Amino acid sequence: MRHNKKFNHLSRKKGHREALLANLAISLIQHKRIFTTVAKAKALRVYAEPLITRSKKDDTQNRRIVFSYLQNKEAIKELFGVIAEKVASRPGGYLRILKTGHRLGDNAEMAMIEFVDFNEAALADNAPKKASRTRRSRSKKAAAPAVEAPVAEAPKAEEKAPEAPAAE
């Protein structure tokens, strides 16, 4: 039974678990994307998202609270500067976890955890796309490839009046 087990203890004592999550959060803030196990990624998301929410309001009290968790000045500067600007309009869900397969040594399930607003490839995929196909058939003229650059035109021959067909 899992009575009163509100979070994953990660098979560590309290001090070790807090140090692990703080170090993972610092690495995530500095590199914007890290690879770790799925269990650690899920625990890190629960740990880091409230800190990111605090960074949206830049005042002394919030900086002190976040510093009490992370204990790293460079990470605090990055969090309250660059990251806070990007996530300012987002109401939550700052992190994304993507499963990447299993580790070779012990077959542990691995994942990549990253900031949603810092993945340029995913942001480009979400851009509006033009409709490339229709369900209707098109005429052969419309299906032809685009016209190439015009070539210098040859001089035109004198036009003749169309001849009437001979009646038989």
Side-chain angles (χ1 to χ4, degrees):
M1 285 184 264
R2 51 182 311 275
H3 294 301
N4 294 329
K5 186 179 177 193
K6 303 265 185 198
F7 60 93
N8 191 344
H9 295 279
L10 300 173
S11 300
R12 289 163 171 82
K13 302 272 180 158
K14 183 178 190 294
H16 188 186
R17 186 172 53 250
E18 287 178 355
L20 169 78
L21 292 173
N23 287 329
L24 284 172
I26 291 167
S27 294
L28 178 65
I29 290 167
Q30 290 175 343
H31 301 292
K32 311 297 185 277
R33 171 186 301 164
I34 59 173
F35 291 88
T36 184
T37 62
V38 172
K40 288 178 188 173
K42 287 180 179 180
L44 177 60
R45 181 173 52 190
V46 171
Y47 182 86
E49 287 208 355
L51 301 179
I52 298 166
T53 302
R54 283 207 177 266
S55 74
K56 289 164 61 171
K57 183 179 179 199
D58 189 5
D59 61 359
T60 306
Q61 184 62 21
N62 283 336
R63 281 183 178 264
R64 285 179 175 170
I65 291 171
V66 173
F67 186 77
S68 73
Y69 284 91
L70 299 182
Q71 301 286 318
N72 187 306
K73 288 182 182 178
E74 289 78 26
I76 301 296
K77 285 179 192 172
E78 183 78 13
L79 180 62
F80 279 86
V82 177
I83 295 172
E85 287 176 16
K86 286 252 189 170
V87 300
S89 62
R90 185 176 287 277
Y94 314 108
L95 301 176
R96 169 190 301 135
I97 297 174
L98 300 170
K99 294 182 181 178
T100 58
H102 295 277
R103 188 162 49 198
L104 284 177
D106 59 355
N107 206 28
E109 196 172 6
M110 298 299 288
M112 175 182 67
I113 183 167
E114 67 179 356
F115 281 95
V116 173
D117 295 318
F118 283 89
N119 188 348
E120 288 80 20
L123 293 175
D125 289 344
N126 291 339
K129 298 177 184 177
K130 292 195 306 186
S132 60
R133 298 180 64 166
T134 63
R135 298 180 85 177
R136 297 180 186 162
S137 62
R138 297 182 181 188
S139 66
K140 290 187 179 183
K141 269 187 190 176
V147 178
E148 295 178 8
V151 182
E153 295 181 19
K156 293 184 180 178
E158 292 180 18
E159 293 183 23
K160 296 181 181 177
E163 297 178 12
E168 291 181 26

